[in-house]
Short mmCIF file of all heavy atoms in Angstrom, two decimals:
data_model
loop_
_atom_site.label_atom_id
_atom_site.label_comp_id
_atom_site.label_asym_id
_atom_site.label_seq_id
_atom_site.Cartn_x
_atom_site.Cartn_y
_atom_site.Cartn_z
N GLY O 31 26.85 11.07 47.40
CA GLY O 31 27.01 10.13 48.50
C GLY O 31 26.87 10.76 49.87
O GLY O 31 26.99 11.96 50.04
N LEU O 34 28.48 8.20 56.78
CA LEU O 34 28.17 8.30 58.20
C LEU O 34 29.17 7.46 58.98
O LEU O 34 29.42 6.30 58.64
CB LEU O 34 26.75 7.79 58.47
CG LEU O 34 25.65 8.51 57.70
CD1 LEU O 34 24.33 7.75 57.82
CD2 LEU O 34 25.50 9.94 58.20
N GLU O 40 31.76 3.29 75.38
CA GLU O 40 30.98 2.80 76.53
C GLU O 40 29.70 2.09 76.07
O GLU O 40 28.61 2.37 76.57
CB GLU O 40 30.65 3.96 77.47
CG GLU O 40 31.88 4.66 78.01
CD GLU O 40 31.54 5.89 78.84
OE1 GLU O 40 30.54 5.85 79.58
OE2 GLU O 40 32.27 6.89 78.70
N GLU O 55 27.50 -10.48 61.50
CA GLU O 55 27.31 -10.57 60.05
C GLU O 55 25.83 -10.69 59.68
O GLU O 55 25.34 -9.95 58.81
CB GLU O 55 28.09 -11.77 59.51
CG GLU O 55 28.03 -11.94 58.03
CD GLU O 55 28.94 -13.06 57.55
OE1 GLU O 55 29.32 -13.93 58.36
OE2 GLU O 55 29.27 -13.07 56.37
N VAL O 88 30.37 -5.13 51.31
CA VAL O 88 30.48 -4.30 50.11
C VAL O 88 29.09 -4.26 49.50
O VAL O 88 28.45 -5.29 49.30
CB VAL O 88 31.50 -4.90 49.11
CG1 VAL O 88 31.53 -4.06 47.84
CG2 VAL O 88 32.87 -4.98 49.76
N PHE O 126 22.65 3.13 59.79
CA PHE O 126 23.55 3.71 60.80
C PHE O 126 22.85 3.86 62.14
O PHE O 126 23.40 3.46 63.19
CB PHE O 126 24.08 5.06 60.31
CG PHE O 126 25.09 5.67 61.22
CD1 PHE O 126 26.41 5.24 61.19
CD2 PHE O 126 24.73 6.66 62.11
CE1 PHE O 126 27.35 5.79 62.04
CE2 PHE O 126 25.67 7.22 62.96
CZ PHE O 126 26.99 6.79 62.93
#
Side-chain angles (χ1 to χ4, degrees):
L34 302 169
E40 301 174 39
E55 182 174 20
V88 177
F126 185 80

